[in-house]
Amino acid sequence: MYEFDWTSIPGALPILGSGMLMTLRLTLVAMVVGILWGTLLALARLSGNRMLGWLAAGYVNLFRAVPLVMVILWFYLIVPTLLKDWAGLGAGTDIRMASALVAFALFESAYYSEIIRAGVRSVPRGQVNAAQALGMAYTQTMRLVVLPQAFRNMLPLLLTQAIILFQDTSLVYVIGLADFFGAAYKVGDRDGRLVELLLFSGAVYFVLCFGASLLVRRLQKRIAV
Amino acid sequence: MSMIEIEQVSKWYGQFAVLTDCTTHVNKGEVVVVCGPSGSGKSTLIRCVNGLEPIQQGTILVNGMTLTDPKTNLSKLRSHVGMVFQNFELFPHLSVFDNLTIGQIKVLGRSKDEAAARGLKMLERVGLKAQAEKYPGALSGGQQQRVAIARALAMDPICMLFDEPTSALDPEMVTEVLDVMVELATEGMTMMCVTHEMGFARKVADRVIFMDHGRIVEDAAKDDFFGTPRSERAQLFLSKILHH
């Protein structure tokens, strides 16, 4: 039978910790940028402007129809070339983090935009009329009346998506970034204790994600009342 | 002088004619009640008056400005026209106080202090000053509608549009809202009200418009309307809603 040996974990905690920091950073940036860009995409699709709506729908459908791991690789291969041309970066600069951030933000915004679009449509038409009747312009109506209510309605869904995103960031291992999962893998590989490290990191993911989803469920109940 | 002029207005939803050749006007200081069976187009007509519904034919002028002209700044025009809805449409994520001030600050550009003073004054006027910090969800329907009226008044409107303001209320709350409307009317506010409240019409209306199937069937001074309505349909309508 396999002999478990957990002794390499305590010494690896600093590395795992910095890996977790990278995971959280990726999650946070992708979430914030994804929500902002996703809101614009959602508004474009709801605007009634054919061209804008068509472009936004194309974007959303494209990103939702390709595997995330592929998008990460694309941006890893594309972003360096662009950055070299635009920002004049040297060939030696490490752009893995930048390309991962861009990939996640753009990919997540496609999912966020669908959540936000549903949220905006959940606000009754009468609210828009009331805002317009007060003399509010379109952007004021959206910013002051519709979006605050929409975000409140969809907060649980946005957070659930963030939990999925938190797990998905582990895919950056394909470009060799040491996020939490990548760090655990590297330590396990180095010490010949891959099984223990993978079990340990899995347990950490489980505790964090399950805990967060319990919090979301509680929040959902409070909002519903 | 006409505050609202509606000239030969027609509107279709696809093939279905919602409004057909409607012409009427509301003079400054006048109170006009619009009534008629449900589906007669009366709510649509009043929603057209501040451009919430587009029209396909005809012209609407409010305070001399042509609503149907694409050059007209619709938002600016609406900021001078108060509107009260059947379902109140207070903003549920804002307190009563913020509901009263948001339009003044964001649309009229008033200072926070000025908006607060004006908002509270209007709230006091509808008898709800104590509720300023509450959220709309904590108020009764009648209270919500009074806040909605105060919200519209805080913008210092040149006229007020009421779209069935008491239809969604429990019977015991109708009076408190009508009292506020009667007071407004007697103070000389120009009002166009879609309502079934014939008691209100008798008390304060100058004219009554009766609509059926998207047409203005009768447009008469109050006493003529209640005395001897000319059209058969108006007679039938009145007999149905007055004797029960």
Side-chain angles (χ1 to χ4, degrees), chain B residues 45 82 120 147 199 221 233:
Chain B
L45 182 68
L120 288 175
V147 171
R233 276 178 292 183

Side-chain angles (χ1 to χ4, degrees), chain B residues 206-219:
Chain B
D206 295 299
R207 281 185 13 247
V208 180
I209 292 171
F210 175 76
M211 289 184 73
D212 195 19
H213 292 113
R215 288 174 190 276
I216 293 180
V217 178
E218 190 129 352
D219 183 348

Side-chain angles (χ1 to χ4, degrees), chain A residues 127 129 132-133 140 144, chain B residues 47 78 89-91 93 106:
Chain A
Q127 288 286 305
N129 284 334
Q132 287 176 329
Q140 287 178 317
L144 302 170
Chain B
R47 288 165 59 82
R78 284 169 178 155
E89 303 299 353
L90 293 174
F91 304 131
H93 60 300
K106 302 289 182 182

Side-chain angles (χ1 to χ4, degrees), chain B residues 112-132:
Chain B
K112 278 186 180 163
D113 292 342
E114 200 186 349
R118 181 77 188 147
L120 288 175
K121 200 174 157 198
M122 290 303 112
L123 200 55
E124 189 170 17
R125 187 184 167 156
V126 298
L128 293 169
K129 203 172 182 186
Q131 318 290 336

